[in-house]
Amino acid sequence: MILAGIEDEDKWLAEGIAGIQHNAFYMHRALDANNLRDALKCSALMLSELRTSKLSPHKYYDLCTYLLCTVGSVYIKSKEAPAKDVLKDLVEMCRGVQHPVRGLFLRSYLAQASRDKLLDLGSKYEGAEDTVMDAVEFVLQNFTEMNKLWVRMQHQLRPSIGLSGLQGPVWVKEKLEKERSELRDLVGKNLHVLSQIEGVDLAIYRDTVLPRVLEQVVNCKDELAQYYLMDCIIQVFPDEYHLQTLETLLGACPQLQPTVDVKTVLSRLMARLSNYAASSVDVLPEFLQVEAFAKLSSAIGKVIEAQVDMPIVGAVALYVSLLTFTLHVHPERLDYVDHVLGACVKKLSGKPKLEDIRAKKQIVALLSAPLEKYNDIVTALTLSNYPHVMDCLDYETNKVMAMVIIQSAMKNNTRISTADKVEVLFELIKGLIKDLDETATDELDEEDFKEEQNYVARLIHMLYNDDSEEMLKIICAVRKHIMAGGSQRLPFTVPPLIFSALRLVRKLQDQDGNVVGEEEPATPKKVFQLLNETIEALSSVSSPELALRLYLQCAEAANDCDLEPVAYEFFTQAFILYEEEVADSKAQVTALHLIIGALQRMNVFGVENRDTLTHKATGHSAKLLKKPDQCRAVYACSHLFWVDDQDGIKDGERVLLCLKRALRIANAAQQIANATRGCSGPVSLFVEILNKYLYFFEKGSPQITSAAIQGLIELITNEMQSDSTTPDPASDAFFASTIRYIQFQKQKGGVMGEKFGPIKV
């Protein structure tokens, strides 16, 4: 059957070509005789060969190659009849061809052949009564008929002949859709021709062209045609025309078929308008005049409402495009920006957390747009709907967006300076500072978690206000949020808060807190009370070493503020932590040296409190697990009794007592080493103690004599020469360096040389 059909088509095609050749012969004879009328008659007979429905599109197109004559075109050139009448006859004549494919090609050729003969401004074919509207009417009529033919192709049941294989309904539909898509430019060229007619001004476009085109677009009710033609309108006509006819153009969008990709159409329209606004500041008043934002916002709302099956990602993408448009055209109108965010919240409200990856990316893009535009997180904090959009995100995406917010603040060195803004900011980044999803804590990636918390810590350092009262409010606001972070987060977030508060304390240290006012003023005592409560919470979540360090930092700040009871309390808390929570021997050594170092720098304590604390320190030093650690901690305590820059604390007796005790412990360490390993350990402890003797000797402690130093040098020399002593190059070098220092002081002359003179090395 298929082969028979192909043979019949070949026969019909041959007959058509023969008829064309016959009439062509007589047409040439007429032209040679300068008989134009007979030549046109023969041309008309040739065109009659088009009146066949026996050929497939492919065969019919072959026949068209013999019939692309220019009868009408030549007739217009002859000016024997008005151009508009000829064009009208030609476009009406084409109505006789109703086969979709043949009609499209015929009208496409007509549009191409008549392009340079349209009655545009300055056309040589323009008559006394001719107007641009005649040309517009011709193109619009041709466009309307071509679009009808193009749409009718979807109802064409018979596919092209010549392809082998079985042809089921699905295959046929797919093939026809492909053929239709390939022919779309034939229809779209009409709109391009319209846009190129110079006489089509805004008035003609607004009153005639756009309404007629949109009428055809809406009424055709075809998904492919509606999407393509709407895109053509947006792309081929000038931006200023779109702006002035925005309401008409947008009014067609909700009337399109539900399956049409309206979001892409509107996104491209808004992109073009955004570029138009960016082209010159002079055009911006036009956007306000026509209320572009209000019309676009209303149209998007109607489209989303009309297309009930539109996926969430499509709706959010529309709001992203609208927000991008707003930030380009009306960046100063934060109310517009907030309106877009609010519309998105309304669309997402009542729905579960987003799971669609594409939708979540669109939400992140929506929230990131204001940050990128304003380069200022503070601006975003004024948008009331911003946090509500973030609430629509799942836990992981919420954290991603929180990181974007913090990174934006750091990139632009943004200063958040009020407690109210801090409240909004920490509400936005709550995904990083507390667990929003109980199941998520078991899935934390350690490296990612540390990076996130370090970003939060850096953010806390950026919160500052020169006004002390407001700064205290900021600290309280931050504390309220981070204290809900749990045991894993507090070690990261508490330290920056503590140091931020200590910075405020040092600013307030000259204030006595007796200011009269409605509110209790910010004072060091008030801040220290807050700090004590905060560190106490940290010490209860398995971070005693960190809490101890922070207590000591606070004690030093209290010392600078001359608040003895406060400083004493912080040291008390540090010792309690040391005694009850610090169990590791290495951690004990580190903690004890920190306590000794901090206590040495204190000048606020009276005799009683200082004695109590130094007694605690020396007592714990002698109780360390390892003898070398005991020795070093005990001789470090000697500095607690001799502070060079402070009157009254120069107790040489207790200095000597500490050093002698350290010597006994060092000697005991040597004996233990000899008993357990059969040889003594290195003499490094003795050399370290010798250096402490030299330090206090130089500082003028009368209890440290040259004889004592001489005896210690001889002790070390004997130990080093002993066969039982373990060789240690580091200790040897240390001792040699110490001896050179003594020799240098002896040779120095003056008071110091005389003082070191009795020492023999």
Side-chain angles (χ1 to χ4, degrees), residues 147-303:
N147 188 53
K148 290 178 180 178
L149 292 170
W150 187 42
V151 172
R152 277 173 50 198
M153 282 188 68
Q154 66 180 312
H155 305 298
Q156 185 178 346
L157 297 178
R158 173 184 165 191
S160 300
I161 302 296
L163 297 173
S164 61
L166 296 176
Q167 301 172 354
V170 176
W171 185 93
V172 171
K173 182 178 179 181
E174 291 177 353
K175 182 178 184 302
L176 289 176
E177 285 298 309
K178 182 179 179 182
E179 284 185 357
R180 286 188 64 212
S181 182
E182 291 170 349
L183 295 175
R184 62 185 180 180
D185 286 345
L186 297 179
V187 183
K189 283 180 181 177
N190 289 279
L191 299 182
H192 180 71
V193 170
L194 278 172
S195 70
Q196 297 299 308
I197 299 176
E198 294 183 8
V200 177
D201 57 14
L202 176 60
I204 294 176
Y205 176 77
R206 180 188 62 229
D207 300 334
T208 304
V209 174
L210 185 60
R212 291 273 296 277
V213 173
L214 289 179
E215 179 185 14
Q216 183 57 219
V217 171
V218 173
N219 290 341
C220 75
K221 299 186 183 302
D222 176 66
E223 174 189 353
L224 179 61
Q226 287 182 336
Y227 174 76
Y228 173 70
L229 294 177
M230 289 295 289
D231 191 48
C232 277
I233 294 171
I234 293 169
Q235 300 301 329
V236 302
F237 290 105
D239 296 329
E240 56 267 32
Y241 286 14
H242 293 323
L243 187 59
Q244 296 300 328
T245 58
L246 199 54
E247 190 168 2
T248 304
L249 183 58
L250 294 174
C253 292
Q255 302 178 58
L256 302 179
Q257 295 298 101
T259 52
V260 175
D261 186 9
V262 183
K263 72 176 186 301
T264 302
V265 173
L266 289 174
S267 297
R268 289 177 178 174
L269 173 61
M270 287 185 280
R272 285 207 61 171
L273 292 177
S274 296
N275 293 334
Y276 178 53
S279 65
S280 173
V281 294
D282 297 332
V283 304
L284 292 178
E286 298 178 26
F287 284 85
L288 293 172
Q289 182 182 5
V290 302
E291 298 180 338
F293 172 80
K295 291 175 181 176
L296 286 168
S297 179
S298 174
I300 288 174
K302 290 178 181 177
V303 167

Side-chain angles (χ1 to χ4, degrees), residues 583-627:
D584 180 75
S585 60
K586 289 184 178 180
Q588 286 181 338
V589 172
T590 302
L592 195 53
H593 279 280
L594 287 171
I595 292 173
I596 294 170
L599 187 55
Q600 180 195 355
R601 293 187 289 274
M602 295 292 110
N603 56 25
V604 71
F605 292 129
V607 175
E608 182 179 352
N609 284 340
R610 188 174 185 86
D611 283 348
T612 301
L613 295 175
T614 53
H615 178 73
K616 274 279 187 183
T618 53
H620 285 303
S621 298
K623 295 177 183 178
L624 291 172
L625 179 63
K626 298 178 181 179
K627 289 295 182 182

Side-chain angles (χ1 to χ4, degrees), residues 726-742:
T726 304
D728 180 29
S731 299
D732 295 345
F734 188 14
F735 182 62
S737 178
T738 303
I739 296 300
R740 284 196 302 272
Y741 177 76
I742 296 173

Side-chain angles (χ1 to χ4, degrees), residues 22 26 37 111 138 152 157 180-181 222-223 257 296 358 388 487 505 629 646 703:
H22 174 78
Y26 288 104
R37 196 169 296 278
F138 167 75
R152 277 173 50 198
L157 297 178
R180 286 188 64 212
S181 182
D222 176 66
E223 174 189 353
Q257 295 298 101
L296 286 168
R358 296 175 302 162
H388 299 315
S487 60
V505 165
D629 292 335
Q646 189 173 350
Q703 286 77 17

Side-chain angles (χ1 to χ4, degrees), residues 306-378:
Q307 298 195 0
V308 292
D309 294 330
M310 178 183 288
I312 290 295
V313 64
V316 177
L318 277 174
Y319 289 123
V320 171
S321 298
L322 179 59
L323 183 59
T324 303
F325 166 83
T326 305
L327 293 172
H328 275 87
V329 181
H330 305 293
E332 75 288 351
R333 294 296 300 268
L334 293 180
D335 55 328
Y336 285 179
V337 176
D338 205 33
H339 176 83
V340 177
L341 298 176
C344 187
V345 171
K346 184 178 179 181
K347 175 63 180 176
L348 297 174
S349 62
K351 295 180 174 59
K353 299 289 185 181
L354 292 177
E355 296 183 359
D356 187 337
I357 295 177
R358 296 175 302 162
K360 290 190 284 189
K361 287 183 177 179
Q362 289 290 343
I363 290 289
V364 171
L366 184 76
L367 293 169
S368 300
L371 303 180
E372 295 169 358
K373 177 64 179 179
Y374 299 117
N375 294 324
D376 183 8
I377 182 62
V378 175

